[in-house]
Amino acid sequence: MPIHKSDEYDKVVNSLDELLCEKVCQSLVNRLSTQYLGQIVQILINLEHFEIACQELEQLLVAARSNASAGGAIVLKATEDFRNSKKTAEKRIFELVNSKIDDLIGTAEYDWLVIINATSREELLRPDEVHISDTHLRTASGLETEPSSYMQTLTRYLSNIMNTVLLGLPTEIKELIYFDALSHAATMILSLPLSSDVKCINPNGVAALSQDVQYLTEFVETLNNPILRENLDELRQTVSLMQAESSDEFYDVATRNKKYGRVDAMNGPMLLEKSDSLPRLLSSEAEKPLTVHRLTHTVHIPAKTDKLTALSSRFGMKS
């Protein structure tokens, strides 16, 4: 039914807009502080529905306006509020997922360097004698055949949330969440050998890391999305560099562009230096008794740039 009095019409529009903004939208936003991913996903879905409802309400309000009233489109502030709150909810989902990833990767245990008491310089430096025992270093020949438990748990977690908690979200949103999660995971895994606590890196640690990265790569390949696999390029190439027989490959421009094009120009030399430091360390320490040192690490969360805006267009999302 048309509303003939302009002041009454404006009062109705303003009251509806205020109600939607302050009572509905803000109430949903306040609930985003929860730690339960499923609740935040449902809030995001609700915000999407309310945004669409507000757009339809704008059309109804135009139809309810009398011909004598001033013309023009009706734009509710609530429509924009719901739209912006959707972005807040999406960001909150990213935060919770990445926080879980941080927790899992924080349990990673790579023996970058384990030094055990040696009885002589010759015993310490004989590579064929270095294996798992009470008196030797362990090399890659003693590597476990299974990926690390944290890596298995990580891939299981990502698979589970996509097939359960995030199932009701639009495909483009799910893909963006997956992209961000894998990007964050790759960054955090790479930060392990880059940690300032890691002074030297032995082949066994690199081999264990390589096995885990391969397991993660195979998991991503099952998702049948080439864009997601690109997230692991830097991580895979960096691990490959750490396993290279000669560090000269990295400093040869042609070879580097072909095999290590995604390796960070600062990280590559740093990791090569850590790998090359082990023989020097063994040589300098071989003349004195060595005590057991099992390296533990602290995971540092590196500064992260906002990739999501740039990536949204690749998934067909509107800003």
Side-chain angles (χ1 to χ4, degrees):
M1 178 182 295
I3 302 177
H4 297 284
K5 293 185 178 181
S6 178
D7 56 340
E8 291 181 359
Y9 176 82
D10 292 340
K11 185 176 180 179
V12 170
V13 171
N14 292 334
S15 296
L16 283 172
D17 204 9
E18 182 179 354
L19 175 66
L20 290 167
C21 289
E22 298 182 4
K23 300 300 182 181
V24 181
C25 186
Q26 190 57 48
S27 177
L28 291 172
V29 170
N30 291 341
R31 288 176 169 81
L32 290 177
S33 59
T34 180
Q35 297 296 318
Y36 295 100
L37 182 61
Q39 291 185 13
I40 297 178
V41 169
Q42 187 57 57
I43 292 172
L44 176 57
I45 293 173
N46 291 345
L47 290 168
E48 173 77 20
H49 290 326
F50 274 111
E51 181 190 2
I52 295 173
C54 283
Q55 293 170 346
E56 296 175 352
L57 179 59
E58 289 171 349
Q59 300 301 317
L60 292 174
L61 289 173
V62 171
R65 184 170 52 193
S66 67
N67 294 331
S69 302
I74 299 295
V75 179
L76 295 174
K77 180 178 180 296
T79 306
E80 182 179 2
D81 281 1
F82 283 117
R83 185 180 301 115
N84 292 335
S85 296
K86 279 169 47 184
K87 297 178 181 178
T88 303
E90 291 169 9
K91 182 179 179 181
R92 181 65 178 140
I93 292 175
F94 297 145
E95 290 175 351
L96 283 185
V97 172
N98 289 344
S99 176
K100 179 64 175 180
I101 291 172
D102 291 343
D103 291 341
L104 292 174
I105 296 178
T107 65
E109 293 185 352
Y110 292 111
D111 291 338
W112 302 118
L113 179 61
V114 181
I115 302 178
I116 310 296
N117 277 333
T119 59
S120 70
R121 176 185 179 87
E122 289 74 17
E123 177 181 316
L124 183 63
L125 296 181
R126 284 202 303 269
D128 58 324
E129 294 272 340
V130 180
H131 58 278
I132 302 175
S133 72
D134 292 334
T135 58
H136 295 83
L137 290 172
R138 186 174 71 174
T139 65
S141 60
L143 182 66
E144 295 291 338
T145 58
E146 293 293 324
S148 301
S149 59
Y150 90 88
M151 182 58 69
Q152 297 184 56
T153 305
L154 173 62
T155 54
R156 190 161 52 244
Y157 168 73
L158 292 175
S159 179
N160 287 342
I161 62 171
M162 282 298 166
N163 294 320
T164 55
V165 179
L166 305 180
L167 191 60
L169 293 177
T171 301
E172 64 272 15
I173 295 294
K174 288 190 292 185
E175 289 182 339
L176 191 59
I177 293 172
Y178 234 143
F179 189 100
D180 183 72
L182 289 170
S183 177
H184 184 74
T187 299
M188 295 307 300
I189 293 170
L190 188 57
S191 73
L192 298 177
L194 287 169
S195 170
S196 59
D197 295 332
V198 178
K199 306 301 182 184
C200 300
I201 298 175
N202 67 21
N204 184 73
V206 178
L209 177 61
S210 177
Q211 182 172 257
D212 287 343
V213 171
Q214 179 60 31
Y215 184 81
L216 179 60
T217 300
E218 292 173 357
F219 165 74
V220 174
E221 287 175 346
T222 65
L223 304 177
N224 298 317
N225 190 323
I227 296 178
L228 296 179
R229 194 175 187 278
E230 291 178 8
N231 271 323
L232 304 182
D233 285 351
E234 180 183 1
L235 177 61
R236 290 188 302 106
Q237 291 183 17
T238 302
V239 173
S240 178
L241 174 63
M242 295 167 69
Q243 293 180 303
E245 293 183 2
S246 173
S247 60
D248 293 341
E249 288 187 348
F250 186 71
Y251 300 106
D252 179 86
V253 177
T255 304
R256 176 180 173 182
N257 290 337
K258 180 179 179 181
K259 299 178 63 175
Y260 310 115
R262 298 294 297 274
V263 177
D264 184 85
M266 298 295 291
N267 293 342
M270 184 186 304
L271 291 171
L272 289 174
E273 174 65 23
K274 291 184 178 185
S275 298
D276 292 341
S277 295
L278 181 59
R280 295 196 300 270
L281 176 64
L282 295 181
S283 179
S284 64
E285 295 291 329
E287 296 180 351
K288 59 184 179 180
L290 300 179
T291 55
V292 177
H293 298 283
R294 182 184 180 90
L295 179 65
T296 58
H297 65 268
T298 302
V299 177
H300 301 283
I301 300 179
K304 180 180 178 183
T305 57
D306 185 8
K307 301 180 182 178
L308 302 183
T309 302
L311 291 169
S312 296
S313 60
R314 300 179 71 178
F315 291 107
M317 296 179 61
K318 297 180 180 179
S319 300

